[in-house]
Amino acid sequence: MTSERLDAAPPAPPGGAAPARSRPPSGSGEGGPKRPRGAPSGDADRASAARRAARRSRRYQRDARWSPYALIAPFFLAFAAFGLFPLLYTGWASLHRVSLHAPTDMEWAGLENFAQLIRNDFFWNALGNTFVIGVLSTVPQLLMALGLAHLLNYRLRGSTFYRVALLTPYATSVAAATLVFAMLYGRDYGMINWVLGFFGVDGIAWESGDWSSKIAVSTIVIWRWTGYNALIYLAAMQAVPHDLYESAALDGASRWQQFRHVTVPSLRPTILFTVVVSTIGATQLFGEPLLFGTTASGGASGQYQTLGLYLYEQGWVNFHLGRASAIAWTMFLILVVIGLVNWLFARRLGKSQ
């Protein structure tokens, strides 16, 4: 029975010719696995597969090359619409005499608006007030933030609560904070004068005084931004290796010496960053002085009028859009100088490290 099954020949294909046997793939013998149905076979199929692979490769290369640009394009489109265009428009308006009532009616003035700013005493008064309030608010703010971050860097019970509490002033609106401080600094019924009365100090007219008004505005800035900077310092402190503190402790360094010789040097880049950001914020100070006295003039004699407040007065009170644009560009150039100074300090700091 076995010999009969082996001798049985398969039926012949139509036409009587036996099908041609395809050449097995290299490396496989006659007894190798069968090629799956539909797989490429022959030179034409291999060429087609190679073309498809080349197309996939080119598509992948295009995707890897252009996808990052497509993903960041929305930001740059928004920046061009709301950042670059206003910058260029104010630069063009600063070279013209133009009123806010008719911003399309421009008369060429060249650099006249900038020349008027240089000759204007109110501009220099505003620039000086911006510098003084910036120093009075930035230096104590960063020192207090550094001290608070140092305390929070220890293992304290309920440390999460303290961190959230530090961030609360930052989350408070500038209008609400300034309203509360304006009441605290009231001449007749303010709590500050009430407390000073226990020490024999007569009531101070905080809003009308020269230095007292600057100190009052500075305290609002300090209260709002100290906690924010403290959390930045705290994050940087937690990245300092503990080996440095252990080595300093083995050498007999006290807590204060560890803070001076280990913590502060390790935080130099972070301190430089907060100084630059706080200086930029002080240059743009606007809401606190405006709401503290509820006038754009910054007091009866402009004793706390900042550059931002002076810009607002020229543009939205006096309707001189060209002069306001010149002030805006002057502030922009000041910020560019601050950025260049920051770059030089960072470069020198990197070389020293």
Side-chain angles (χ1 to χ4, degrees), residues 5-6 55 58 70 81 83 95 120 126 143 150 157 170 213 216 232 259 265 281 299 341 351:
R5 284 199 302 270
L6 294 174
R55 283 197 296 270
R58 288 195 296 269
L95 303 176
N120 195 333
L143 291 177
H150 182 65
R157 183 174 297 176
Y170 173 71
S213 60
I232 293 177
F259 177 76
V341 172
K351 289 182 177 179

Side-chain angles (χ1 to χ4, degrees), residues 35-327:
R35 188 185 305 278
R37 188 174 184 180
S41 62
D43 296 339
D45 293 341
R46 282 194 292 273
S48 177
R51 286 195 296 272
R52 286 197 296 270
R55 283 197 296 270
R56 284 197 298 270
S57 177
R58 288 195 296 269
R59 192 161 52 244
Y60 172 78
Q61 290 177 356
R62 286 196 297 268
D63 179 68
R65 182 177 182 181
W66 297 108
S67 291
Y69 295 101
L71 293 175
I72 63 175
F75 166 77
F76 284 99
L77 290 176
F79 173 76
F82 303 106
L84 186 60
F85 173 73
L87 183 66
L88 297 178
Y89 177 78
T90 53
W92 181 249
S94 67
L95 303 176
H96 293 77
R97 296 185 187 90
V98 54
S99 172
L100 189 64
H101 293 299
T104 56
D105 297 336
M106 294 185 176
E107 180 183 356
W108 178 258
L111 298 176
E112 180 61 26
N113 288 322
F114 292 94
Q116 287 185 357
L117 282 183
I118 295 175
R119 295 192 300 265
N120 195 333
D121 294 335
F122 291 103
F123 168 75
W124 292 108
N125 175 66
L127 182 61
N129 290 339
T130 302
F131 176 77
V132 172
I133 294 176
V135 172
L136 290 177
S137 61
T138 301
V139 176
Q141 172 194 151
L142 297 183
L143 291 177
M144 293 171 60
L146 196 59
L148 290 172
H150 182 65
L151 294 177
L152 287 176
N153 199 28
Y154 290 108
R155 293 182 179 178
L156 298 177
R157 183 174 297 176
S159 58
T160 304
F161 169 77
Y162 296 122
R163 294 173 185 177
V164 174
L166 279 179
L167 201 59
T168 303
Y170 173 71
T172 307
S173 71
V174 61
T178 308
L179 176 63
V180 172
F181 273 89
M183 296 174 63
L184 291 176
Y185 282 110
R187 187 188 61 181
D188 298 326
Y189 304 104
M191 185 175 290
I192 304 296
N193 281 343
W194 177 71
V195 172
L196 291 177
F198 288 105
F199 299 96
V201 179
D202 296 333
I204 299 175
W206 292 95
E207 197 270 336
S208 59
D210 188 9
W211 280 96
S212 60
S213 60
K214 294 183 177 65
I215 293 173
V217 173
S218 300
T219 54
I220 304 173
V221 180
I222 293 172
W223 187 81
R224 290 195 66 228
W225 292 96
T226 298
Y228 175 81
N229 289 305
L231 292 182
I232 293 177
Y233 287 148
L234 178 61
M237 285 180 184
Q238 292 181 345
V240 178
H242 288 279
D243 298 343
L244 299 178
Y245 292 105
E246 292 176 359
S247 300
L250 289 176
D251 292 338
S254 63
R255 293 280 189 181
W256 172 246
Q257 289 174 331
Q258 292 179 22
F259 177 76
R260 286 180 54 197
H261 301 292
V262 177
T263 304
V264 173
S266 302
L267 297 184
R268 280 178 184 172
T270 308
I271 293 174
L272 180 61
F273 168 76
T274 54
V275 168
V276 173
V277 172
S278 300
T279 304
I280 292 174
T283 307
Q284 299 174 339
L285 192 63
F286 174 71
E288 288 85 351
L290 174 65
L291 299 174
F292 182 69
T294 65
T295 60
S297 59
S301 57
Q303 62 269 22
Y304 55 92
Q305 186 181 49
T306 59
L307 281 177
L309 210 56
Y310 184 56
L311 184 153
Y312 175 77
E313 183 185 37
Q314 291 297 316
W316 278 263
V317 177
N318 299 331
F319 306 110
H320 296 313
L321 184 58
R323 294 180 190 174
S325 300
I327 298 170

